[in-house]
Amino acid sequence: MGTHEERGVAGQGFDVADAAPLLLDAQGLVTAWTRSAERLLAYAAPETVGKSVAELLSAEDAGRVPELIDRCRRDGGWAGLLTALHRDGPLVRLMVRITSALDTQGPARWLVLLSELADAPGWDMSRATLEQMVTRSPIGIAIVDTDLRYVWSNAALAQYGGGPPANRLGLRLADVQPGLDAESIEAQMRQVLATGEPIVGYEHVGHARSAPLRETAHMLSFTRIDDGDGHPTGVYYTVEDITDRHRARQRLALLDRAGEHIGRTLDITRTAQELADVAVPGLADLVTVDLLESVLRGGEPAAGPLSDTAWVPLRRAGQRSVTRSVPEAVLDIGDVVTYPAGSPPIRCLRTAQSWRKERLDPLGEAWAEHARGGRAAIFLELGLHSVMIVPVRARGVTLGVTTFFRRHRQEPFEEDDLNLAEDLVSRAAVCVDNARRYTRERDAALVLQRSLLPHRLPEQDALEVSACYRPADELTGLGGDWYDVIPLSGARVALVVGEVPGHGIDAAAAMGRLRTAVRTLALLDLPPEEVLAHLDDLVARSAREEGAQTAAEEAAVAQSVGSGCVYVVYDPVDGQCTMSAAGHPAPAVVLPDGGVTFVDLPQGASLGVGGPPYESVELALTAGSTLALHTDGLLAHGDDWAVDADRDRLRQALERQAASLDLRCRAVVDALTPARPHDDVALLMARTRLLGTEQVADWDLPSDPAAVADARKSAARMLAEWGLEGLAFTTELVVSELVTNAIRYAAGPIRLRLIRERALICEVFDGGATAPHLRHPRTTDEGGRGLLLVSQVTQRWGTRFVPEGKIIWAEQSLTDPSP
């Protein structure tokens, strides 16, 4: 092969790691044949071992073998292109590298590396190129015998420790690199020798002798070498330094863990603790998180830069150590942290810049004062030797500092560690700031909830309502009793009276939670017993939640358990009244003739306590009947408690006449409770009304598309009778869409009903059990716009389920302007 051809090959690549090795003796006879060589040329070891290598080459290259052997003896090796005979017939163009493999303990003289060139005719390989790729390649290459002693290695392997190739011959890995975990590497070699299966990509992590304080990672691949009889003669392996890749993977894994575990709640201290938990032990052995006290209260940090001598109120919000008892920390979570002026934590807090110290002064005092034992601990006693401090900063505001220490890991923090710490803290800082903002808004919301009792009852035509509330805490005017009037669909109205144990601010906070929940559940148009079941589940779940945000919040959650509530739904169309109670007195009914009765209402368990399912009762009320819903404070009088006697007192009070319902309601409370009651008192009285036959119209419709037109006409005629011709167009549209949906998607009877109250209500009943969903069709869709149109031309619409099916309803206000 000419010099020009060798230079041509030198410009190309030779993947030494993937080359197929084999061994020749001094005469060019094959002494060892590997599986890689078998895969390349398809010859098994028994077919090649003991034969001349010339028998594996083309006729032209076979004649060059003696010349090549002489050249190897003279120059110590050779590199170039040869054409080999594949066992199945075709010629294979190979890049070949021959180098000395002299071993006094065996017959091997030459190591041959074969690599297929594919379609690269005309290549040739120079010796200088292969020397650069093999001897000076960053990939280390070595061959060991069955006793795992070195037979050959390239110069590149020396960079991983153990000295030059000549120093390795006849030695094992533990001999040339003491302190390395040679046992695990040799275990891989033994596995390859035993099974013959190569191991590719084995990663070994440890500490090199050249850098004992720095963790390194290497990737090794192992291949067995067999003799002519298929018996293993050694292992060929490669080594590559992947420390940078390994550390990058560790950083990414730590950042992924941070994204998963930091900020799972809107609790400031829990978020701070999550930051410490994530960083240990992946980055540090001890992490402390100190936040400004104003931040923990949900407030804003002090405006303006901090002075060098200013005292900064910090509090330990989280800490984590590799040891369970955190012996390195001089403070406990929740303790006030006092750092001397000018100390690194204060400097980082003031400048908003991170700080790193590779080696701490062992005799230096820990910065946090008021250490355990009454004196300042020194870093030597705490075992801390390297530190990083990163300010907790979000949205341009510094909220505190996070300190990272190393104790057991001997390598000091590097610049990459500081970058990683800043990434972790910046993620946590946003979560801490979100939690701080949430705490501030939540506390403000609790203040607002203290006045959650309705100042004005909603206007509706189903009931005449009056309420009276008298708190036991006159100083604040706050209590745990509440009442509510909630308009429902179909002109129905829900009446609610409830009470939370205790009184004052905590009871008011708990009451606010329950009242809001009841109003939300009422909008779902659920039966009373289902509303109470959901409310009971909500209270029980809230009581099980851990880590209340503040003392007031914790008290509110605790006081919600054992609360009582009665929920009543009245329908003015037919006078039906359905009610259910949870640990609450049953309502009284004042009949139109003045007589008083008490509803025989099954008493369910108090909220959050658990018990059998809630039950409801249904009764028909004539127009002019008055429902009296009250809390137990109305009847409790000191220590005197007797159900029959209390009911007699309430009956007598309700039988007294008054000029108006408001005066009657107040007179009942005045008659039964003192000016300063022992318990909160709430009384809600509601006088029933019935809608006249002239206000309601209904039609039974066949399940026939032709019925849609008849329904529209019937609705239009009724609107004309009611003098509502101005709503005819939109009402016909609503009727058409709702009736069409019922015919198309539901089964069973269909009934259309119009109700004229403060709103014009259109209801369509069908026997289906599925609720319709509002769609947003594209401009090219031919359908799906029905409910979208209904939602646009009416003030509100919805679905409620009844035992026989469901009712889809829509309302158009007769008192307010159209939206």
Side-chain angles (χ1 to χ4, degrees), residues 343-408:
S343 62
I346 297 299
R347 191 162 59 247
C348 290
L349 192 67
R350 180 173 57 84
T351 63
Q353 298 294 323
S354 301
W355 180 77
R356 174 175 63 94
K357 185 74 171 178
E358 291 189 3
R359 290 297 174 189
L360 287 168
D361 180 5
L363 301 181
E365 292 185 352
W367 303 303
E369 296 180 358
H370 308 301
R372 297 189 185 103
R375 63 179 182 84
I378 62 174
F379 290 119
L380 179 62
E381 294 175 335
L382 301 175
L384 307 174
H385 63 83
S386 188
V387 65
M388 299 184 298
I389 303 177
V390 180
V392 181
R393 187 172 176 83
R395 301 179 177 96
V397 178
T398 302
L399 309 174
V401 291
T402 303
T403 308
F404 302 80
F405 291 101
R406 278 188 176 164
R407 181 188 187 195
H408 299 290

Side-chain angles (χ1 to χ4, degrees), residues 766-785:
D766 61 59
T770 58
H773 296 283
L774 185 66
R775 294 175 54 192
H776 296 275
R778 296 169 295 187
T779 56
T780 56
D781 291 345
E782 296 182 359
R785 296 179 176 83

Side-chain angles (χ1 to χ4, degrees), residues 102-168:
L102 184 61
D103 183 8
T104 58
Q105 300 179 4
R109 181 65 177 82
W110 306 105
L111 169 66
V112 181
L113 300 177
L114 308 178
S115 181
E116 188 174 4
L117 280 178
D119 299 325
W123 277 29
D124 206 351
M125 182 62 68
S126 69
R127 181 175 186 272
T129 299
L130 284 178
E131 286 292 342
Q132 180 180 356
M133 298 178 65
V134 178
T135 307
R136 296 196 300 273
S137 170
I139 299 177
I141 306 172
I143 297 177
V144 297
D145 58 18
T146 54
D147 293 329
L148 307 185
R149 298 183 181 278
Y150 282 98
V151 174
W152 175 89
S153 64
N154 68 343
L157 193 64
Q159 64 183 309
Y160 306 113
N167 293 351
R168 295 175 179 267

Side-chain angles (χ1 to χ4, degrees), residues 803-819:
E804 302 82 8
K806 70 175 182 295
I807 295 174
I808 306 177
W809 55 270
E811 291 184 4
Q812 302 174 74
S813 176
L814 300 180
T815 58
D816 299 330
S818 299

Side-chain angles (χ1 to χ4, degrees), residues 23 138-139 153 165 174 184 331 365 396 500 589 626 676 771:
L23 295 176
I139 299 177
S153 64
S184 62
L331 296 168
E365 292 185 352
V500 173
V589 179
T626 302
R676 300 182 62 178

Side-chain angles (χ1 to χ4, degrees), residues 604-620:
S606 298
L607 298 176
V609 175
Y614 294 102
E615 301 179 41
S616 64
V617 296
E618 186 173 343
L619 61 153

Side-chain angles (χ1 to χ4, degrees), residues 252-319:
L252 289 176
L254 193 59
L255 291 174
D256 287 343
R257 186 164 176 259
E260 180 180 354
H261 293 279
I262 297 178
R264 293 178 294 179
T265 67
L266 288 173
D267 184 306
I268 298 176
T269 55
R270 184 174 298 185
T271 302
Q273 185 60 46
E274 288 168 348
L275 168 60
D277 292 342
V278 166
V280 176
L283 178 60
D285 296 327
L286 170 66
V287 173
T288 63
V289 183
D290 302 322
L291 299 178
L292 295 168
E293 286 202 61
S294 59
V295 172
L296 291 171
R297 294 194 302 267
E300 294 285 345
L306 298 173
S307 65
D308 293 338
T309 59
W311 179 79
V312 182
L314 291 168
R315 192 173 291 273
R316 180 65 46 86
Q319 62 186 16

